[in-house]
Amino acid sequence: MAAGGGKDGRSERPYDLVVFGASGFTGQFVVEEVARAAGGGELRGPLRWAVAGRSREKLQAVLKWAAERLGKAALGAEVGVLLCDVDDAASLAAMAKQTRLVLNCVGPYRFFGEPVVEACVENGASCIDISGEPQFLEGMYLKYNEKAAAKGVYVVGSCGFDSIPADMGVLYTRDKLKGTLTAVESFLTVKWGPEGSCIHDGTWKSAVYGLADQGNLKKLRKKIGYAPVPVIGSKLKRRGLVFYNQEFKEYSIPFMGSDVSVVKRSQRYLHTQLQETPVQYGAYVNIGGLGSVIKLMFAGILFLLLVKFSFGRKLLINYPEFFSAGRFTKKGPTQKQMDGTSFTMTFFGEGYSEGQDPQRGKPNVKICTEVKGPEPGYVATPIAMVQAAVSLLEDTACLPKEGGVYSPGAAFSKTKLIDRLNKRGVEFSVISKPEI
């Protein structure tokens, strides 16, 4: 049952969802996307929602900005404004008590995420975020999974780009293969227009702190004591640090994001709880020609050297533009840059046809699928986050039987999330049918 819920999941709480950190760089686009969903008639009833943050003026300015972008005079008095600060536990508790679901847009989550999760779990609200930080995501699982289950609330991390396309893409590929999918590799390609593209430096900060803290992630995983996920079918080979990709005619490198850890958590859950065959997964990103490889290697070596020392981390944090060759900026991308940018994530899956034993012999079927979408950071991410929220509110009967801390694939594998994303322009499709 939904948190605080009456029979239809509508509770005595005044709001269905609250966007926390609504006036931040990503938060503003999430607000626009919630307003679009609220006005789009996809929901069973009217959406009662609010924005939350430290400054009433900034929150009201964001509502005005979002209304203008949607061509409306205003978003109306029905949208609540809550004052709330991540450093003030009482304000977080007050926010959580008023809503069924919090969309948390305040990162880096390793510094600001836990108080929100704690407030939500203690006060019976579900919570989703767009973190790409495995330490945070898995740390929350260790600390709050049992309590969330007891309270009947869902805490779902990494509900943005890139983990939703990756995690749901693997499940989509599995569902489209007639037979048993045993391994998938994904390749991300980001295209941008003449204006180029960049990413707001919030993401950069998360990467800096995350890489500096690799050792603690290993310790955390020991503490959790994950059961190993069995390898079914032929073992997926790990590729090199840089390799030429024949399929795309360009160079590829392993994807540094949280996708592999997120997909692994989903596969572990689906295997242990639902007895589904676990899928092995590797994630890569296409980077272009030899020139790009050389540039990236220099930048990468410099980054890895600096990230080890607090002085180096300070430099990286203060001068993101310089150290990322203009890829990360304090301002974030312009509207023109966003309009010209898109992504494609291509999945190559292999497995065993119906009647073949995946424990014997080599895989004998292949499939290729893809997830395509608009600019990843501030167009696709809000779409993914808001549609995950809608799935949590509307597809309650299809969520895992009990609450807890989940990855997207574990939480949403039985919901209509993929259909919802397709309708909003994050499109899942089969490129080549399974051939034996």
Side-chain angles (χ1 to χ4, degrees):
M1 191 167 82
K7 267 281 173 275
D8 60 352
R10 302 293 272 187
S11 63
E12 54 290 358
R13 299 177 178 228
Y15 301 114
D16 298 310
L17 70 83
V18 172
V19 180
F20 178 52
S23 57
F25 192 82
T26 308
Q28 60 185 345
F29 296 108
V30 173
V31 170
E32 180 191 355
E33 193 56 35
V34 171
R36 189 179 276 115
E42 298 132 52
L43 299 147
R44 276 185 298 228
L47 184 71
R48 307 162 307 159
W49 64 288
V51 290
R54 285 181 301 201
S55 152
R56 187 178 294 278
E57 290 71 40
K58 281 186 180 171
L59 292 170
Q60 278 164 340
V62 161
L63 290 174
K64 190 169 175 257
W65 174 85
E68 279 167 13
R69 283 173 59 96
L70 294 171
K72 294 181 171 176
L75 292 181
E78 78 277 1
V79 182
V81 175
L82 307 178
L83 291 183
C84 177
D85 188 332
V86 79
D87 294 325
D88 174 358
S91 74
L92 293 177
M95 166 178 73
K97 282 181 183 134
Q98 295 183 66
T99 186
R100 292 168 59 199
L101 173 62
V102 171
L103 276 60
N104 183 13
C105 304
V106 181
Y109 292 92
R110 68 168 50 244
F111 300 128
F112 306 119
E114 184 174 349
V116 181
V117 172
E118 187 175 15
C120 287
V121 172
E122 292 294 340
N123 296 287
S126 291
C127 173
I128 63 179
D129 66 52
I130 44 178
S131 168
E133 305 158 55
Q135 289 96 323
F136 169 74
L137 297 165
E138 296 178 43
M140 293 306 94
Y141 172 78
L142 180 63
K143 278 179 90 164
Y144 296 99
N145 185 49
E146 279 167 18
K147 201 172 241 183
K151 292 270 191 176
V153 300
Y154 298 89
V155 176
V156 191
S158 52
C159 286
F161 180 89
D162 30 66
S163 292
I164 284 224
D167 207 6
M168 301 310 291
V170 170
L171 297 182
Y172 176 83
T173 307
R174 179 198 72 181
D175 293 344
K176 293 297 176 197
L177 184 82
K178 297 215 186 330
T180 308
L181 183 74
T182 55
V184 174
E185 290 183 321
S186 69
F187 292 87
L188 170 65
T189 307
V190 179
K191 288 203 165 71
W192 43 82
E195 298 272 323
S197 184
C198 67
I199 304 165
H200 189 258
D201 76 331
T203 305
W204 174 256
K205 284 180 187 155
S206 301
V208 171
Y209 295 120
L211 276 165
D213 201 24
Q214 282 303 83
N216 284 331
L217 182 58
K218 286 199 178 84
K219 283 182 206 149
L220 174 67
R221 286 176 174 164
K222 266 215 174 89
K223 246 190 218 156
I224 294 172
Y226 287 128
V229 183
V231 172
I232 308 288
S234 292
K235 193 167 162 52
L236 186 62
K237 288 188 185 66
R238 289 186 64 168
R239 297 176 182 251
L241 279 178
V242 180
F243 56 94
Y244 187 73
N245 191 320
Q246 287 298 340
E247 303 280 351
F248 296 95
K249 302 282 180 270
E250 59 180 303
Y251 286 90
S252 308
I253 59 169
F255 184 71
M256 296 294 283
S258 56
D259 292 355
V260 173
S261 68
V262 170
V263 170
K264 198 165 194 176
R265 281 174 59 214
S266 292
Q267 292 301 323
R268 179 180 287 111
Y269 170 84
L270 295 169
H271 175 64
T272 54
Q273 299 301 312
L274 307 180
Q275 285 66 59
E276 293 176 6
T277 304
V279 179
Q280 306 168 65
Y281 177 63
Y284 302 93
V285 57
N286 298 329
I287 56 169
L290 209 49
S292 304
V293 172
I294 293 162
K295 259 199 231 149
L296 200 79
M297 278 170 74
F298 274 117
I301 290 163
L302 191 59
F303 188 92
L304 291 172
L305 285 173
L306 289 172
V307 85
K308 286 190 169 62
F309 309 101
S310 62
F311 163 73
R313 289 195 290 277
K314 244 187 209 131
L315 281 177
L316 289 168
I317 297 288
N318 289 337
Y319 305 103
E321 213 158 330
F322 177 79
F323 287 106
S324 69
R327 278 274 165 269
F328 292 87
T329 68
K330 288 182 186 287
K331 284 209 232 8
T334 63
Q335 188 58 49
K336 250 195 169 145
Q337 285 178 322
M338 290 195 287
D339 293 343
T341 306
S342 63
F343 79 88
T344 307
M345 205 178 258
T346 309
F347 298 82
F348 296 98
E350 58 175 35
Y352 295 77
S353 56
E354 281 162 343
Q356 284 293 113
D357 179 2
Q359 302 289 29
R360 296 216 175 116
K362 284 197 158 51
N364 68 337
V365 278
K366 280 186 164 139
I367 184 170
C368 176
T369 63
E370 74 178 19
V371 181
K372 278 173 105 127
E375 189 279 329
Y378 314 103
V379 187
T381 286
I383 290 169
M385 187 184 212
V386 172
Q387 294 310 319
V390 171
S391 293
L392 239 160
L393 294 170
E394 298 271 313
D395 305 343
T396 42
C398 312
L399 295 170
K401 290 280 178 283
E402 57 174 29
V405 178
Y406 290 101
S407 53
F412 300 121
S413 75
K414 304 282 182 269
T415 67
K416 301 196 189 85
L417 178 56
I418 289 177
D419 298 342
R420 295 180 190 284
L421 290 168
N422 273 325
K423 286 193 185 115
R424 282 291 301 116
V426 175
E427 294 167 8
F428 292 68
S429 61
V430 176
I431 299 302
S432 67
K433 278 273 189 285
E435 70 256 4
I436 297 185

